[in-house]
Each structure stands twice: as structure tokens, then as C-alpha cells.
Amino acid sequence: MKTQIETNGIVTLDPEVSQQMENSPLWNEDLRPTTTEEHSWKGINFAALWVGMCLCIPTYTMASGMISLGMNWYQAIFTIFLGNVIVLIPILLNSHAGTKFGIPYPVFARLWFGSKGAHIPAMARAIVGAGWFGINTWIGAGAIDTLLSASFSFWQSVPFHTAIVFALFWVLNVGIAYKGPEAIKLLSIIAAPILALSAVILLVWAFTSAGGWGPMLSAPSKFSSTGEFLKYFFPSLTGVIAFWATMALNIPDFCRYAKSQKAQAVAQSLSLPFTMGVFSFIGIAVTSTTLVIFGEALWDPVLLLAKFPPFIIFLGTIVIVISSITINVGANVVAPARAVENLYPQRLTFAMGAVITGLFALLMQPWYIMSNFGNYIFGWLGTYGALLGPIDGIAIADYWLVRRRRMALKELYTLDGRYNYTSGFNMNGVYALLIGVAIPILGLFIPSLRFMWDNAWTFGLFISIFAYVYLMRNDKSVLSKEEYEAITVFSDDTPTSSSTSDAGAAIK
């Protein structure tokens, strides 16, 4: 029986099958596969999404920690660019699944963990997303609070002024996220050109005001040997990879709306690594000129902005608010909200998930995570990188190596279907995850294996790939080419309403 339609590499459920699935406890309007009409995101939408998310305070200051460890400017930029090229690979591999089958991340996870087991990777991603939501809300609120203090002398005397700004900014972030992915798409289109123009203006001002790039770009590395450099390079590289390892997992949440594979792949390949590298360079270059202009290195763009007249501070505050909200609702709310929704699709909605994400973010105490650089890059980024690397590996191994890009869409929404495994759990996925996490953790306790923990995301990813492929050999849930063709109607052209009806008639 044919239940799905493949058109130009995009697979959708037959409309009649969709109607039959509406009463399934695994189905709701947010988690169902996208329709042909909903595959509307062009390359510009994905480029805008990444530019809007990359142009943020954490990216601006990312290189500062590496330079404080002893790197020179081009070592720091190389580390950042390489880390983003590496994480781009799993992003593109998982993007293919979201684009082809139009499914969000929690549903994609059902494929490799089972209908109930999917909550494990979905909630793991949700916890990290909620943590990042809190971090970026804290950073944005702190920036606003600092700029208000610089503009209005009375502000610092207001009781609990930081808490007031944080609460209001939290409400604003949750409120926008509440509107869903289409609001995020619109926000990205608006934010990207504003943030890009602001970055260029800042760079031009710094260069012209200082009469050059300043001393920082000519400062040599503090490392006396390659070995000494590599001691700090690999943990920093892992931190850079972990920065977007979250999006490598739930990128199907966005790519399920892609118009084509080419549209999302080309746009993401061009926008992510280059935006991160260029904006990090702007952060270093501007900070270098502040040594000349102000006599001190101002890594925090908020502290730099506070040096300007009130009107410039006002404009800068708007830019920082836009930046913080764009990365927050784009990268940090969608996955947790979907994961919460997936716990009970018949009752919970994306909007409810967004509110729960915001509340959970408060419990994770972002003010502690950001209290010092060690907590941030070695504690926060390094630890969750060790968790998400194996999950990335399992997702890639399942889709590309085990199933070879073939799946039965209907079965993902059926409790007793092909992907239910044993009582809703694919234990092969659970075992592969445990193996991928446990082996790098040995580096915390065995000094000679420390390199595995310093590169936990990478080691975990490859270990879990090998483990999962081995465990899933000859698994009954895998569709053969013949089985896939038996359930799929193939069409070379975008189906019209009449051709869709014809496909439905064929299924009958």
C-alpha cells in the first residue's frame, strides 16, 4: 500500500493517510510531516537565520577567552572557523533528513530511539536549549541594564534593577517564541541586515578612530611550542563545536520547511562558518583598537557602547536586544518546546512548550554558568558537548548508514508500527549512546586519556556511529529499497491539487 509521495526528493504523506493519523497519540499539528506547500523556505531564509543567530554577544566575545589563554588573533580565528566547519558537517547531514521527510527533531529521534525512547535525545537537547535560553537572556538583560545605567544616572539606585530588566527581557523572549517558527522566520529576515550593518559600522568606526587596527593584531602567541598550543587548542575547538552542536541535532526543526536540498545546503554552508569567523575577527579588531582609543581592552561590546553619547547607546541597545532575541528564539526555544510537546502531543502545544522552556531556564541559574570563563567553555560547553556528540553520531549513522535515507513516514506516528521497537524503546540506540558518552568520560579519570575528554564531542560522535551501525545490523525496522518503493508514489514535478488527488486515488 502506497502511503507517501516523493516529489523532487521531498517526501510528504498522502492527504488521506494524514487524515487517518490525526487521532494517533503521536500526532499533532506541530509534529506532523510538512505538506508540499509548507516547504517554502528559500536559501535566503536559512542565510538570514544563521546570520541573525551568529551576530550575537557570545560570538563577539568568543575569541577573547582564547586570546586570554595565550593565542594570537589568527590562531583564535582559525580555531573558531575550523570548529564551525566541523560542526557544519553534522548540521548538513541531519538537515537532509528534515528537508526530505519534513519532520521535526523529536519525530526524527523516534526513528533511532523508538516512539518512547525518543524522549531521551529530545529532552537532552531540551535541557541544553533551556540552559542556552537562560544564558542569552542573562547576557541580553545584563547588556540592557548596563546601558540603562550609562544613560540614566538614577537607574542604578532603583532596587533590584537588574532583576527587573531580566524579568522583562525574559517575558519578551518567551512572548515572541510563543508565536512559533513563522515568527522566528520573520524575525530573522528583519534582524540579519540590521545586525550585519551594525557590525560593519562598528568595525569602520574602530579603524578610523584608532588610525589602524591597534596593537592586539600584532601581538604574538604566548605559546613557546606546538605542544603547548595544542594543549589549549583542542578544548577550545571542542567548545566552538559545542556552540552549535545543539543546532546540529535539531536543525530538522527548520529544514523541514526547506524548498529544496540545494536551498538549505548552499545557504547554510556559506553563512555559518564565514559569519562566525568574520564577526569574531570584528570582535578582536575592535577590541584591539579600544586599547588605543581608551587605554584598555574592552572585550564586552556593552562596556564599549557605554562609552558613547546617550543617542548612540539607545541605538546600540536596540541592536543588542534584536541580537539576543534572534539567537534565543531561533536556537534555544524551538527544540525544547518541540521536546515538551512530544511528551504529550494530544494535549501540549508548541506555545506551552515555549513557556515551560523559559521557566526551566530560570532553574538552571544562568548567572552561575556565566560567572567565569572556566564555567562557560570548560564546564558548560565541554560537558554538554560530550552528551550531544554521541546523539549526533547516532542520528547520522541511522539515517545515512543504516537506513540509507529511506523511512516510512506513517510508521513514525504509529504506536505499534515499525519504529516502536520493544515497548517503544530501541535499546540499540540507548546502548550506543551510553558507549559514546562513557568512553570519553574515561579521560576525566585517566590522565593518559585526557585528550578524549578534551575532544569529547568528536570522539563521542565517531564512537557512537560505529557502535550504532554494529548494533543495528540486520534490524527488522530497516526498509529495503523494494519496501520503500512499495509504499511510495514517485513524481518528478511538484504535485498540484489534482495530482495529489490522483495519488490518493492510487492508494485506494
Side-chain angles (χ1 to χ4, degrees), residues 375-436:
N375 287 342
Y376 176 58
I377 198 165
F378 295 114
W380 174 247
L381 292 180
T383 299
Y384 83 65
L387 173 64
L388 298 189
I391 299 177
D392 267 322
I394 292 169
I396 293 167
D398 185 277
Y399 181 72
W400 288 93
L401 303 178
V402 175
R403 304 188 195 279
R404 300 183 184 277
R405 306 182 302 283
R406 296 188 291 264
M407 68 176 83
L409 265 180
K410 177 184 175 182
E411 301 292 315
L412 289 170
Y413 299 89
T414 306
L415 279 177
D416 57 351
R418 177 183 292 267
Y419 308 122
N420 192 51
Y421 301 99
T422 303
S423 300
F425 288 88
N426 179 13
M427 295 309 298
N428 291 329
V430 175
Y431 296 147
L433 174 60
L434 292 175
I435 294 169

Side-chain angles (χ1 to χ4, degrees), residues 183-383:
I184 296 170
K185 174 184 175 182
L186 178 61
L187 176 64
S188 298
I189 290 293
I190 296 172
I194 294 175
L195 297 176
L197 179 61
S198 300
V200 172
I201 291 174
L202 181 62
L203 182 65
V204 171
W205 166 84
F207 182 82
T208 55
S209 298
W213 294 122
M216 195 173 294
L217 296 185
S218 60
S221 169
K222 296 179 182 178
F223 302 121
S224 58
S225 66
T226 301
E228 188 177 351
F229 166 70
L230 294 178
K231 180 181 177 181
Y232 293 93
F233 168 74
F234 286 115
S236 297
L237 183 67
T238 295
V240 174
I241 293 171
F243 194 84
W244 291 121
T246 53
M247 287 293 289
L249 276 176
N250 79 290
I251 193 64
D253 286 330
F254 299 95
C255 286
R256 63 192 295 228
Y257 302 106
K259 197 172 186 66
S260 67
Q261 296 288 2
K262 181 180 179 180
Q264 58 84 9
V266 172
Q268 293 191 93
S269 298
L270 294 176
S271 56
L272 171 57
F274 288 101
T275 303
M276 289 292 290
V278 170
F279 196 52
S280 295
F281 171 78
I282 289 175
I284 295 173
V286 173
T287 302
S288 181
T289 62
T290 61
L291 276 169
V292 177
I293 300 170
F294 301 110
E296 60 178 328
L298 297 174
W299 281 105
D300 188 339
V302 175
L303 297 180
L304 172 59
L305 190 58
K307 300 279 188 181
F308 286 87
F311 180 69
I312 301 299
I313 293 177
F314 172 73
L315 295 178
T317 303
I318 293 175
V319 171
I320 288 174
V321 168
I322 293 174
S323 169
S324 298
I325 293 176
T326 302
I327 186 174
N328 235 7
V329 299
N332 305 322
V333 174
V334 174
R338 288 271 186 257
V340 170
E341 185 179 16
N342 190 50
L343 291 173
Y344 197 173
Q346 294 289 302
R347 290 287 183 268
L348 297 175
T349 64
F350 179 88
M352 294 168 65
V355 174
I356 293 172
T357 298
L359 293 174
F360 190 75
L362 300 179
L363 298 178
M364 297 189 71
Q365 303 180 66
W367 41 87
Y368 171 74
I369 295 174
M370 294 302 295
S371 60
N372 63 65
F373 184 72
N375 287 342
Y376 176 58
I377 198 165
F378 295 114
W380 174 247
L381 292 180
T383 299

